[in-house]
Amino acid sequence: MEYHLKTPLTIEDIESLRIGDVVYISGNIFTARDEAHKHILETPLENMPVDLEGAAIYHCGPLMQKNDAAEWEPVAAGPTTSARMSAMTPQLLEKHNVRVLIGKGGMDNVADSMKGKCVYLVYTGGCAALAVNSITKVCDVHWLDLGMPEAVWVLKIDKFGPLVVGIDTEGEDLFRNIREKVNENLERALR
Amino acid sequence: MESGIKHEDIVEATISAIKKAETELPDDVVACLEKAEQIESSEIARSHLQAILENIGIARRHSVPICQDTGIIILFVEIGRKLPPLPDLENALAEGVRKATVEVPLRPNVVHPLTRENSGDNTGKGLPDIKYSFNESEELRITAVPKGAGSENMSILKMLNPTEGDSIDRLVLETIRDAGGKPCPPVILGIGVGGSFDKAALLAKSALLEQVNDMDEKEHALLEKVNSLGVGPMGTGGDTTALAVHIMTAHCHTASLPVAINIQCWANRHATAVIGGEGKWNII
């Protein structure tokens, strides 16, 4: 199935998505990787620079450049390895009603904490120039002192995708299923 | 004796090699991805490969980096023994990296390993990582290899027992299984066998610079086994887990069998600047 979603998102928007489905997202998304996750977990709600209610978080450390008008423009903005954020994700989802995580490579042991709350979507890794085509505006940046890749960038996107559902709200995990098959194939290959 | 190659020649050639490597994938790698897209049987896998090919086209046309992870810069520098004495290479190469960071542009990726403070210019203690070798030519060759962390982080080095040569295939397959989608498959595998702890790793990295399709029987057989796993592009399943396997060997201690597996994502970026003795250079 193919779905077109718009942020901010409700449970109803994401609950029918199933692993393997294709999704396109429009609206605002927030980039966050390792350091930003740490900051989000450490920051009291009243001091948060962004509202993550119904948000889509993009595991991405973009390459940005200032144009002649001194405004930020994206140069390259593909997904980073989501597994690095696995350990911090259950806490993040307890604290904020984030509905979508976007990244690449799969996540480890987060499917249970995402049940009924959030989905994980996969963008093709390395497709950083292609991703820029879907970014219509760099709205804001927070925590830039963490460095360009680790800051939280607020991006306006239009039909960002195709994104493949990797983990759904039922707790199904496409990567875990593939890994089980790979394990069987591995023993066969060595026979 | 004054060299014909000036400091500025090396700086400019380094910037150009980095720019080319970051924005244009070598033709042999692109051809390999195109072939994979044609024969891939999984629909999701094919859509990843189509996105990859579209991305490569956009990066080339607009002269922008293929991936936002513009990597750390590794430079393979070959020095012709027949060249006149050269200016300070380390400084010229580092200056090239600093200027390329602004001009290409590159994402500032280099941090202190413990404080994690970003140097802001992609250089630092030990970086760029320069690997020198010598040949009998009258040329200076600078090969820029931007290496992203997604694939580098999934690479391994293992000191096997000398009688465990038969278990190398298992080690490779388990490494690919454990890496899953994290290193952005389809990957290219550089495998270093023998030498010493560090030599094996350098062999593995050097193997990534070989022409992708230039594989012997053993490498082909291992590639087939890797692709039979079904990890697929981005780890979401499919026929194309790896594009190539390259193995390089070196003699080693009788009590040792080091094996290094350096994983490279599909963006097997590299470009070479060739500088003649008079300071003229071109990019190949």
Side-chain angles (χ1 to χ4, degrees):
Chain A
M1 283 286 285
E2 188 176 304
Y3 294 85
H4 290 257
L5 304 179
K6 195 168 183 327
T7 63
L9 296 149
T10 62
I11 296 274
E12 290 72 37
D13 289 330
I14 59 165
E15 65 187 356
S16 48
L17 305 181
R18 290 292 167 266
I19 53 169
D21 283 347
V22 170
V23 178
Y24 291 83
I25 293 193
S26 299
N28 280 1
I29 55 169
F30 306 96
T31 71
R33 45 186 280 164
D34 311 58
E35 294 292 334
H37 272 71
K38 258 174 82 178
H39 267 57
I40 292 170
L41 296 185
E42 286 164 2
T43 305
L45 284 178
E46 60 273 22
N47 294 345
M48 278 291 293
V50 292
D51 181 5
L52 295 179
E53 180 67 34
I57 283 185
Y58 183 23
H59 299 146
C60 165
L63 167 56
M64 296 282 184
Q65 197 176 31
K66 276 200 170 156
N67 63 18
D68 294 340
E71 292 159 344
W72 287 108
E73 275 183 357
V75 179
T80 195
T81 308
S82 300
R84 292 200 318 276
M85 272 57 79
S86 295
M88 293 182 278
T89 296
Q91 275 175 281
L92 172 84
L93 297 181
E94 265 173 42
K95 197 170 169 188
H96 298 279
N97 288 322
V98 174
R99 297 296 175 212
V100 166
L101 303 175
I102 304 167
K104 59 111 171 158
M107 299 188 76
D108 304 316
N109 308 315
V110 298
D112 283 348
S113 62
M114 292 179 73
K115 244 183 199 171
K117 279 188 194 167
C118 187
V119 293
Y120 173 65
L121 308 177
V122 184
Y123 189 65
T124 309
C127 290
L130 184 64
V132 166
N133 278 359
S134 308
I135 301 172
T136 52
K137 197 181 170 198
V138 178
C139 303
D140 213 345
V141 58
H142 304 280
W143 297 333
L144 194 53
D145 56 311
L146 298 176
M148 184 191 288
E150 303 287 344
V152 171
W153 296 88
V154 185
L155 308 175
K156 192 169 164 47
I157 51 167
D158 185 41
K159 295 190 198 76
F160 182 44
L163 306 162
V164 177
V165 179
I167 301 172
D168 64 25
T169 52
E170 303 262 277
E172 285 296 314
D173 183 342
L174 176 63
F175 290 88
R176 193 174 53 204
N177 298 352
I178 296 285
R179 192 185 157 92
E180 277 168 20
K181 277 186 209 155
V182 168
N183 264 327
E184 290 166 21
N185 294 339
L186 195 153
E187 293 312 321
R188 202 172 302 135
L190 290 171
R191 236 176 260 153
Chain B
M1 187 169 53
E2 179 97 353
S3 164
I5 299 179
K6 305 281 189 296
H7 175 89
E8 287 69 31
D9 300 326
I10 297 168
V11 174
E12 290 303 318
T14 304
I15 298 170
S16 294
I18 293 170
K19 171 102 183 169
K20 168 113 173 171
E22 293 281 3
T23 58
E24 292 181 39
L25 218 48
D27 291 342
D28 59 325
V29 182
V30 179
C32 211
L33 285 161
E34 283 168 345
K35 191 180 155 207
E37 194 267 327
Q38 281 161 15
I39 58 174
E40 176 62 56
S41 64
S42 149
E43 198 182 326
I44 292 177
R46 220 166 36 243
S47 105
H48 284 309
L49 292 166
Q50 283 158 1
I52 287 168
L53 289 165
E54 200 182 340
N55 182 74
I56 292 168
I58 294 170
R60 185 185 284 259
R61 279 198 302 281
H62 298 288
S63 211
V64 294
I66 292 162
C67 181
Q68 83 288 340
D69 185 356
T70 51
I72 56 165
I73 303 297
I74 299 163
L75 299 168
F76 284 81
V77 177
E78 284 178 69
I79 302 167
R81 286 187 215 279
K82 293 176 184 152
L83 282 170
L86 292 165
D88 179 351
L89 270 172
E90 266 89 349
N91 275 323
L93 295 166
E95 192 179 326
V97 173
R98 282 193 288 272
K99 287 190 166 163
T101 299
V102 180
E103 288 179 26
V104 175
L106 308 179
R107 193 176 67 177
N109 282 335
V110 169
V111 299
H112 183 281
L114 298 175
T115 67
R116 310 307 290 181
E117 191 189 343
N118 198 312
S119 70
D121 65 7
N122 281 308
T123 66
K125 192 175 174 185
L127 286 176
D129 183 4
I130 307 168
K131 299 168 189 313
Y132 294 105
S133 62
F134 296 89
N135 60 35
E136 299 309 316
S137 75
E138 285 179 77
E139 293 170 347
L140 177 66
R141 293 170 79 94
I142 301 165
T143 300
V145 184
K147 191 72 170 72
S151 60
E152 191 79 346
N153 284 350
M154 297 299 125
S155 303
I156 64 138
L157 175 73
K158 179 111 176 152
M159 306 304 284
L160 295 178
N161 274 327
T163 53
E164 287 181 319
D166 289 347
S167 67
I168 293 174
D169 281 11
R170 175 174 283 277
L171 184 65
V172 171
L173 296 190
E174 287 178 349
T175 301
I176 288 296
R177 174 199 61 193
D178 295 344
K182 297 181 184 81
C184 287
V187 296
I188 292 160
L189 292 174
I191 301 172
V193 180
S196 56
F197 184 79
D198 48 316
K199 177 89 177 178
L202 179 56
L203 287 171
K205 185 142 279 162
S206 306
L208 296 175
L209 296 175
E210 292 183 0
Q211 286 279 313
V212 275
N213 280 323
D214 191 9
M215 281 178 278
D216 65 20
E217 210 173 312
K218 160 112 189 94
E219 291 163 335
H220 263 295
L222 190 49
L223 175 65
E224 259 181 49
K225 281 185 191 173
V226 168
N227 281 333
S228 77
L229 293 183
V231 173
M234 299 304 139
T236 54
D239 311 318
T240 323
T241 302
L243 300 173
V245 173
H246 294 295
I247 304 171
M248 283 179 83
T249 61
H251 278 54
C252 61
H253 193 291
T254 182
S256 257
L257 180 55
V259 178
I261 303 169
N262 198 195
I263 303 183
Q264 170 62 55
C265 65
W266 60 261
N268 188 15
R269 298 169 289 186
H270 53 90
T272 303
V274 182
I275 315 179
E278 298 308 308
K280 284 191 185 135
W281 51 271
N282 63 309
I283 303 290
I284 56 168

